[in-house]
Amino acid sequence: MDVLGDILSKIRLNAPLLADIWIGGDSCLEMGPRRLTGSPFHYVVAGEISLLLDGADHRLAAGDFVLLPRWPSYRLATRADAPAVSIASVVVERGLPLWSQVNGLDQAMKLEVGTPPHRARLLSGLFSIGQADADLLLTRLPEIFRMAMGDTALDTTLRAALELVCADLQNPEPGFAGIAVRAIELVFLQTLRTWLLRERQEPGWGRGMADPCIRRALDAIHAAAPSHRWTLRQMASAAGQSRSKFARTFLAAMGETPFSYLRRWRMYLAAVRLKSTTDRIATISTDLGYTNTYPFVRAFTAHTGATPTAYRHSTGTPTPRSS
């Protein structure tokens, strides 16, 4: 399996939120900060709008898509100096359903801000993923990721999501949440895939996959069993390089050593299993190549700041019964 396919296949989103937002003239919608976590996105269906972030004015036109991975404080404005109103207050004032990370919404939301005529229409939503996925992915994404009008990578997916929202607003029917979470998941995965394939400037997966040698090594790591006892010679052989050259090239491309990457990937796999299964910690540590539980617990705690047991409790996964 190639590294990108392996990463994308393991990501799961939850708590669906899709909204059709209409913004009138001389309006400004405050989008944060919030206590809730997630990654908001906006697709401009029609009109123009400014996304104001850290003093910068990002002008968005019809067809533009923007993702904010770590939900910073930002505003959506048809006029930059218009008085800001928070989205939370609008939702409460209009009696709209409240979103939570646990439940999501079982219907699409229509939100109108300001007075007609409307200057912009947005398909908006929230990517809500588990902590393990966030630690692995979101910290490596830029503060704001934008795809300009005319880029077709997301066009089909976004239009399908828009049609889903519009259809549900016109004729609400049971089953929206199950379909919406898949639509949002597809948009997120395509966004992430696009960024990873394009990003070449900073060390990370983008640059690593652009290097044929490093990509072969990454593919080999992800194709092998997590318990495989890798040596630098084996990794270098998969890359088709000498050990010294491979170590230097990998560090330059990925921003970490081969063994640091391997350890981080194993900790991610461990976090996913702790979150989604009741597998015993001893079983997980063995499957990841640890000879006994203690070094695994120590490595996991150092990586996440929580012991495996504490991490499992924090994610709501039940502790397995003793045999």
Side-chain angles (χ1 to χ4, degrees):
M1 175 182 288
D2 70 275
V3 57
L4 184 53
D6 197 15
I7 293 168
L8 297 182
S9 69
K10 289 179 171 59
I11 298 172
R12 292 294 180 269
L13 273 68
N14 48 47
L17 172 60
L18 279 173
D20 191 12
I21 302 180
W22 297 70
I23 302 181
D26 299 334
S27 300
C28 182
L29 188 61
E30 176 67 56
M31 300 299 293
R34 301 194 57 168
R35 292 182 180 178
L36 300 175
T37 59
S39 303
F41 68 87
H42 305 283
Y43 173 62
V44 184
V45 179
E48 294 183 347
I49 197 162
S50 289
L51 190 154
L52 307 174
L53 173 64
D54 295 335
D57 183 345
H58 301 272
R59 295 290 298 174
L60 304 176
D64 287 354
F65 173 86
V66 63
L67 165 67
L68 299 107
R70 291 174 292 280
W71 203 338
S73 178
Y74 68 100
R75 292 172 290 156
L76 296 169
T78 52
R79 198 190 79 205
D81 60 349
V85 57
S86 73
I87 188 171
S89 64
V90 172
V91 168
V92 173
E93 179 185 310
R94 308 286 171 81
L96 297 172
L98 297 176
W99 176 87
S100 79
Q101 293 171 267
V102 176
N103 299 321
L105 295 183
D106 59 4
Q107 63 185 34
M109 178 188 294
K110 184 172 183 179
L111 187 64
E112 295 185 73
V113 181
T115 57
H118 296 105
R119 297 276 300 278
R121 180 189 181 190
L122 310 176
L123 168 65
S124 301
L126 191 67
F127 299 135
S128 176
I129 62 178
Q131 189 59 49
D133 291 322
D135 291 342
L136 182 74
L137 301 169
L138 299 187
T139 56
R140 290 177 173 259
L141 291 175
E143 186 173 42
I144 181 171
F145 173 65
R146 176 179 178 179
M147 294 182 65
M149 181 176 59
D151 194 312
T152 59
L154 279 172
D155 186 66
T156 301
T157 304
L158 287 166
R159 290 188 182 278
L162 176 62
E163 290 176 5
L164 170 67
V165 171
C166 293
D168 189 75
L169 287 170
Q170 294 172 4
N171 184 28
E173 292 184 344
F176 171 80
I179 301 299
V181 72
R182 295 295 177 262
I184 298 172
E185 193 171 81
L186 187 55
V187 173
F188 178 72
L189 294 179
Q190 182 63 30
T191 301
L192 182 62
R193 180 173 182 260
T194 299
W195 182 82
L196 289 173
L197 291 175
R198 291 182 180 179
E199 177 56 42
R200 298 292 185 269
Q201 301 303 314
E202 298 297 326
W205 279 311
R207 186 186 289 186
M209 287 184 291
D211 185 310
C213 295
I214 300 305
R215 181 171 181 173
R216 285 196 294 269
L218 290 172
D219 288 350
I221 290 172
H222 284 253
S227 60
H228 182 80
R229 296 182 179 280
W230 286 98
T231 65
L232 184 61
R233 183 185 297 277
Q234 290 174 333
M235 295 184 194
S237 177
Q241 295 179 320
S242 67
R243 286 178 296 174
S244 58
K245 183 175 182 179
F246 170 71
R248 293 193 304 270
T249 305
F250 193 98
L251 179 61
M254 298 296 295
E256 59 187 324
T257 68
F259 289 103
S260 173
Y261 176 84
L262 182 62
R263 181 171 57 254
R264 187 164 61 87
W265 178 244
R266 284 173 172 165
M267 293 303 100
Y268 168 72
L269 295 177
V272 169
R273 287 182 63 177
L274 288 166
K275 177 179 67 174
S276 60
T277 76
T278 58
D279 293 345
R280 294 175 61 81
I281 293 173
T283 301
I284 295 174
S285 66
T286 299
D287 291 347
L288 294 178
Y290 288 86
T291 54
N292 60 69
T293 304
Y294 178 71
F296 164 71
V297 171
R298 185 174 57 186
F300 188 89
T301 304
H303 182 75
T304 65
T307 65
T309 300
Y311 185 90
R312 169 167 271 162
H313 280 296
S314 71
T315 58
T317 302
T319 302
R321 294 191 299 267
S322 299
S323 55

